[in-house]
Structures are given as C-alpha cells and as structure tokens.
C-alpha cells in the first residue's frame, strides 16, 4: 500500500488510499508481491538515473580510468585467507566519474530528490545506541529511504558467513529476509570515496581490533569457526561506494514508547539492468541459483537442483520504505528480534505478536 501510494505522486488523497487498499485486498499474494517489486524498482531506477546525471559526464565517452584489482580475493580478508590475488583478464574496468566527495554527492542528491542520509550520534536514550541513521530533508510515505548493503548469503552458504556458527557474536550488521537470505553489511562500513571494484573484503575499522573485548565463549566459537577454503564472490563488482543511500544498516530500533517510521521490504534486483548495477551495494556469495534449499522448522536442507529464475538472475536485497512522511529525523526500524531467545536490555518490542509471527 505504501509503495503504490507513493507511486501515484504528490497529488494523492484519502480516496486514492482507499482504492489501493480495495485493489490489494482483491489481488493474490503473488500479484501483491509483483506490484511491490515493480514499485520499488521504479523508485530505485529513478534514484540511479539521478545519480548518473550527477556523476557521469555524458558528453564524453566512458573510458577506463583504472583496472582495479583487489589485494585479496572475495571475502578472504573476512574469513582469514592469506596470499595475493592474481589479476584476471576478466577484471572489470572502472568507468570514469566526476571526482566528487561522498558528502558532495549526498548534497546534490538531496537537491534533486529532496532528501539524503546522514550517520551521526543516535538520539535514542541508551548507552548502547551508538550511531544512528538520519534522514536529511523530506520524504513522502512509501519512499525508498535506504538500501541494505553488503554480501548476500543464501541458506546454502551460511557456513561461509564470517564467524560461523556464532555469526552474530561480533557482528551487529546482519539481517535476514523472509526467504532465509542473510545480508552482512559489516564489510561495507560507511562506503567509500570512489566508484571501485569491490570484493567485499573491507571491514568496519571499529570492528577490526576487538580481541581485547571478546568474552571467553566468543573466543571459543572463533576457534571452532576455522577459515573455509574458497571465497566465491569472484573478482568483485564495480560499485558506487559513495552511494548516499547505502546506509540502511545504521538504522536503530526505536526506544520505548516510540514507533518505527520505516519498514523492511525485500527487493529482487534484476541483474539484467546493467546500467543500474553500480548503485546496488551488494555482492552475492556463491552462485545463489545453483542450489535449491527448503526449510523444515529451524533447519535448511538441499532440495534437488534449482533452475534459473524465470525472469533472469537477481540479487536478493533489502530496502527501507517510509511508513510515514519524514522530515529531518532519525530513521527507526522495528528489529523484530526473536522472542524465543534472550534479547538485549535496550530492546523494547514494538509489537510482541508481530515478533512472534516473524519467527513462528
């Protein structure tokens, strides 16, 4: 409803909202999903077009300014592999873009669409709140506010998530889609200052040196989680590391008596959209299409072979969608943590029944 409402533009009224609700109630779940994907994709495409206009000089032919080769392949840095990576003939050229700083691109994006994002000290009154995500400007209901960046793991590759099996012991930047896909945003950090060949090996600086604060149980699980043999993100992808909206992982859970103002929405980005690819801040670990997985209770099992997607290959990503009009405020997302496990002291459920539905 939110994205369809947004799709109608600024001249919408209550009658339009009621019509959307009526149409949605008559549509099948599959049709609803298809409509949401279309709505999200149209917004993402518009954002990509705006950033292209800011960053690319269309009056000049695009030439390679460098042939960047990552110093370490794939997630080797994250999972402990050593040794240099050889340059491959298939390494992508990095197209020339205007030499704008990330802050400059952010401001120009705000000038074009009315909002951008900042990361600064959270306003949540808790000692563990840390940094939070803030909308700078104004956004309407149903707007795509942010994209969740990082490395995507299908259930078939859970064991490759750094720190496995205790993947969340030292990483608070993990999120799971309903289909079991996990996105690890820790390697993305705050992004970067250029468009570059990114292989997922860069980590948040603040997370690199944590041995002194580890608990005994964390050290135990780290010893058990030996580095796995081969990373499978290839040589990376040319991504726009300055993307001002690739910061969804900094959104905090609302404090007590505060309501969230965004919601999670799965977005399957079609890899056939080559012109948009640089602005989708994700890499897929392994071949997401090569293994079919089925869930039984809390466990995932291999289930036959998987055919290619009917509409072509996709990246299974996530975006944050505004559930109310936003104006110069902190972005708050209901984390919906499982009520079957001990939850942190700062966590106050927004809706216990909703949490239970999420994990039942």
């Amino acid at each position: 409803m939110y994205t369809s409402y947004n799709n109608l533009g600024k001249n919408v009224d209550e009658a339009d909202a009621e019509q959307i609700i009526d149409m949605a109630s008559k549509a099948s779940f599959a049709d609803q999903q298809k409509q949401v994907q279309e709505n999200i994709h149209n917004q993402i495409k518009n954002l990509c077009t705006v950033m292209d206009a800011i960053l690319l000089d269309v009056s000049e032919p695009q030439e390679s300014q460098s042939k960047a080769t990552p110093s370490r392949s794939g997630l080797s840095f994250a999972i402990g592999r050593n040794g240099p990576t050889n340059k491959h003939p298939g390494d992508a050229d990095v197209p020339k873009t205007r030499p704008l700083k990330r802050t400059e691109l952010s401001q120009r994006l705000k000038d074009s669409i009315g909002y951008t994002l900042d990361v600064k000290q959270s306003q949540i009154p808790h000692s563990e709140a840390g940094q939070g995500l803030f909308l700078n400007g104004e956004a309407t209901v149903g707007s795509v506010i942010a994209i969740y960046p990082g490395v995507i793991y299908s259930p078939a590759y859970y064991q490759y998530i750094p720190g496995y099996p205790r993947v969340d012991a030292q990483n608070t930047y993990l999120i799971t889609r309903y289909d079991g896909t996990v996105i690890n945003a820790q390697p993305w950090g705050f992004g970067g200052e250029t468009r570059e060949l990114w292989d997922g090996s860069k980590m948040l600086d603040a997370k690199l040196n944590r041995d002194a604060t580890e608990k005994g149980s964390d050290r135990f699980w780290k010893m058990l989680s030996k580095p796995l043999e081969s990373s499978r993100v290839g040589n990376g992808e040319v991504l726009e590391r300055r993307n001002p909206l690739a910061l969804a992982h900094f959104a905090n859970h609302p404090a007590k008596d505060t309501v969230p103002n965004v919601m999670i929405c799965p977005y399957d980005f079609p890899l056939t959209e080559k012109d948009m690819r640089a602005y989708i801040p994700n890499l897929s670990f392994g071949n997401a299409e090569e293994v079919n997985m089925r869930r039984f209770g809390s466990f995932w099992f291999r289930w036959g072979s998987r055919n290619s997607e009917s509409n072509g290959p996709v990246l299974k990503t996530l975006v944050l969608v505004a559930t109310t009009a936003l104006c110069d405020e902190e972005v708050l997302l209901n984390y919906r943590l499982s009520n079957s496990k001990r939850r942190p002291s700062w966590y106050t459920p927004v809706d216990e029944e909703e949490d239970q539905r999420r994990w039942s």
Side-chain angles (χ1 to χ4, degrees), residues 41-60:
H41 184 71
N42 288 339
Q43 286 197 52
I44 296 290
K45 192 167 189 176
N46 178 62
L47 293 170
C48 293
T49 300
V50 170
M51 285 190 276
D52 262 353
I54 297 170
L55 289 170
L56 300 183
D57 187 351
V58 295
S59 65
E60 297 180 5

Side-chain angles (χ1 to χ4, degrees), residues 33-288:
Q33 286 183 309
K34 184 177 180 180
Q35 185 62 58
V36 170
Q37 290 297 305
E38 183 178 317
N39 294 343
I40 295 294
H41 184 71
N42 288 339
Q43 286 197 52
I44 296 290
K45 192 167 189 176
N46 178 62
L47 293 170
C48 293
T49 300
V50 170
M51 285 190 276
D52 262 353
I54 297 170
L55 289 170
L56 300 183
D57 187 351
V58 295
S59 65
E60 297 180 5
Q62 291 298 308
E63 298 178 357
S64 170
Q65 69 179 18
S66 65
K67 292 190 176 182
T69 302
S71 59
R72 298 173 70 173
S73 174
L75 290 176
S76 56
F77 185 90
I79 63 176
R81 293 210 22 157
N82 295 314
T85 302
N86 294 326
K87 187 174 181 179
H88 298 281
D91 285 348
D93 291 349
V94 180
K96 186 176 181 180
T97 61
R98 292 190 174 101
L100 298 177
K101 295 292 185 182
R102 185 176 54 180
T103 53
E104 294 176 299
L105 173 57
S106 182
Q107 182 58 51
R108 294 198 187 188
L109 181 66
K110 179 185 176 183
D111 294 341
S112 297
I113 67 172
Y115 64 90
T116 187
L117 296 173
D118 296 326
V119 176
K120 54 187 178 182
Q121 183 63 38
S122 175
Q123 295 176 347
I124 295 176
H126 194 284
S127 59
E128 295 183 34
Q131 292 178 310
L133 184 65
F134 290 78
L135 184 112
N136 180 350
E138 297 183 18
T140 56
V141 176
S143 296
V144 172
I145 298 302
I147 308 172
Y148 206 95
V151 182
I152 300 169
Y153 296 84
S154 71
Y157 296 104
Y158 280 172
Q159 69 268 33
Y160 288 90
I161 301 175
Y164 180 87
R166 286 283 300 277
V167 296
D168 61 342
Q170 296 294 328
N171 186 356
T172 59
Y173 297 99
L174 294 166
I175 197 167
T176 309
R177 294 187 7 153
Y178 276 107
D179 60 7
T181 301
V182 173
I183 304 177
N184 177 16
Q186 193 180 67
W188 184 266
F190 294 91
E193 291 291 348
T194 186
R195 181 172 300 195
E196 63 183 12
L197 188 62
W198 188 67
D199 69 347
S201 64
K202 294 183 179 179
M203 308 275 289
L204 279 171
D205 293 340
K207 299 293 181 182
L208 293 177
N209 212 348
R210 295 166 298 194
D211 291 341
T213 60
E214 285 182 352
K215 297 178 180 179
S217 59
D218 294 334
R219 288 194 293 271
F220 172 75
W221 284 106
K222 182 173 283 188
M223 286 189 292
L224 290 182
S225 59
K226 296 179 181 179
L228 295 172
E229 279 308 310
S230 122
S231 61
R232 306 185 186 184
V233 294
N235 296 308
E237 291 280 351
V238 175
L239 300 183
E240 184 50 71
R241 297 271 286 152
R242 294 167 291 184
N243 187 343
L245 303 185
L247 296 169
H249 53 306
F250 288 105
N252 276 329
H253 181 79
K256 186 177 181 179
D257 299 325
T258 307
V259 296
N261 51 23
V262 297
M263 67 180 294
I264 281 288
C265 183
Y267 168 52
D268 293 345
F269 170 71
L271 288 169
T272 52
E273 295 276 13
K274 303 294 186 182
D275 292 342
M276 299 169 60
R277 179 65 184 96
Y279 300 109
I280 308 301
N282 301 96
L283 295 177
S284 183
F285 190 97
N287 184 352

